[in-house]
Amino acid sequence: EVQLVESGGGLVQAGGSLKLSCIVSGFSFRDYAIGWFRQAPGKGREPVSCISSIDGTTYYSDSVRGRFTISRDNARNTVYLQMNSLKPEDTAIYYCAGKGRRTWDPSPLQSDYEYWGQGTQVTVSS
């Protein structure tokens, strides 16, 4: 069974940093693009950052570009999201997801991802 398990969320003051992890099992991690998405209270889920399967091509949303960094460790079946200079508007549940088609493309479209984790809460206080 495919599982994606997020960790690393928590409560942090504005301007602080957090590093999220997503450990993947049940499919060949190296053959999937991985994306981070988030859902703030009362809002829909939106893309944050994505990374392709092998060459590490990345996507960042305009709201996080320059502050967040996505990376993957294929030996550990893990993708990371380093979040710096956090803002209150970054408060959300953060989800990781797997994309098994067109894996060279770090697509930000939710419909392109077939496997989803349960999420980890990030709360940024002012």
Side-chain angles (χ1 to χ4, degrees):
E1 297 181 354
V2 174
Q3 288 189 307
L4 298 90
V5 181
E6 303 94 336
S7 63
L11 175 64
V12 64
Q13 291 185 331
S17 298
L18 285 173
K19 187 173 185 178
L20 306 183
S21 299
C22 175
I23 300 175
V24 177
S25 63
F27 63 86
S28 180
F29 180 76
R30 298 177 66 183
D31 294 333
Y32 280 75
I34 303 295
W36 285 99
F37 299 80
R38 68 186 182 187
Q39 187 167 18
K43 298 183 178 180
R45 194 173 299 181
E46 65 177 5
V48 177
S49 184
C50 308
I51 188 166
S52 64
S53 59
I54 297 177
D55 67 3
T57 304
T58 58
Y59 160 87
Y60 294 96
S61 69
D62 290 342
S63 63
V64 309
R65 187 177 296 110
R67 299 188 296 121
F68 292 9
T69 302
I70 191 170
S71 62
R72 65 189 295 160
D73 186 338
N74 289 338
R76 297 177 181 268
N77 284 6
T78 303
V79 63
Y80 304 97
L81 185 68
Q82 177 67 52
M83 305 185 295
N84 298 326
S85 301
L86 284 162
K87 305 174 181 179
E89 52 262 43
D90 294 318
T91 295
I93 301 174
Y94 284 71
Y95 301 88
C96 64
K99 172 178 178 286
R101 298 174 62 187
R102 303 181 74 248
T103 61
W104 61 91
D105 177 18
S107 171
L109 301 178
Q110 295 183 54
S111 60
D112 286 348
Y113 292 79
E114 57 259 49
Y115 303 116
W116 291 81
Q118 295 300 307
T120 185
Q121 177 70 50
V122 172
T123 302
V124 184
S125 65
S126 60

